[in-house]
Amino acid sequence: MHQSETELMLKGYGLTTAEFFYRMPDYQSVLNSFIWQDYDIAPDHPRLFKFIEFWQEQIEGPLHSVRFTHRKMISPGEWRNVVGEFTLH
């Protein structure tokens, strides 16, 4: 079952953005870049490393380097469900 972004963030996932630098298959001296973004768990980053393994097995352009950042958007302690609202005059 597909979980919403909010459900993932409440379970501890954060937004991981990675920039892949890779060599062109026909022109090894040319570097190109690719941006990847997904919700992942720090510090292990299982989805990022799964994508890197996929790249190394399936994509012809060899990786030169990977630069990434991780931002935890919310955590369970920062979010609360408000049931009612009181208005004071």
Side-chain angles (χ1 to χ4, degrees):
M1 183 176 168
H2 181 71
Q3 295 178 336
S4 71
E5 293 176 359
T6 305
E7 290 173 323
L8 289 173
M9 287 187 280
L10 290 173
K11 290 182 178 181
Y13 283 77
L15 189 61
T16 300
T17 304
E19 184 175 17
F20 292 81
F21 293 96
Y22 63 97
R23 298 192 183 279
M24 299 294 289
D26 295 335
Y27 303 98
Q28 291 292 312
S29 61
V30 176
L31 282 179
N32 205 356
S33 68
F34 175 79
I35 302 293
W36 175 88
Q37 200 170 45
D38 200 359
Y39 286 94
D40 210 352
I41 297 178
D44 296 334
H45 299 287
R47 290 185 177 182
L48 174 61
F49 287 113
K50 184 177 179 182
F51 185 76
I52 290 172
E53 288 174 8
F54 167 79
W55 185 291
Q56 291 174 336
E57 294 170 0
Q58 303 293 326
I59 308 294
E60 289 184 25
L63 285 175
H64 175 269
S65 59
V66 178
R67 181 172 56 174
F68 72 95
T69 184
H70 179 83
R71 171 78 169 113
K72 198 168 189 178
M73 307 301 268
I74 62 173
S75 66
E78 296 173 350
W79 186 84
R80 61 189 174 107
N81 187 15
V82 177
V83 179
E85 182 178 326
F86 296 101
T87 305
L88 298 174
H89 298 330

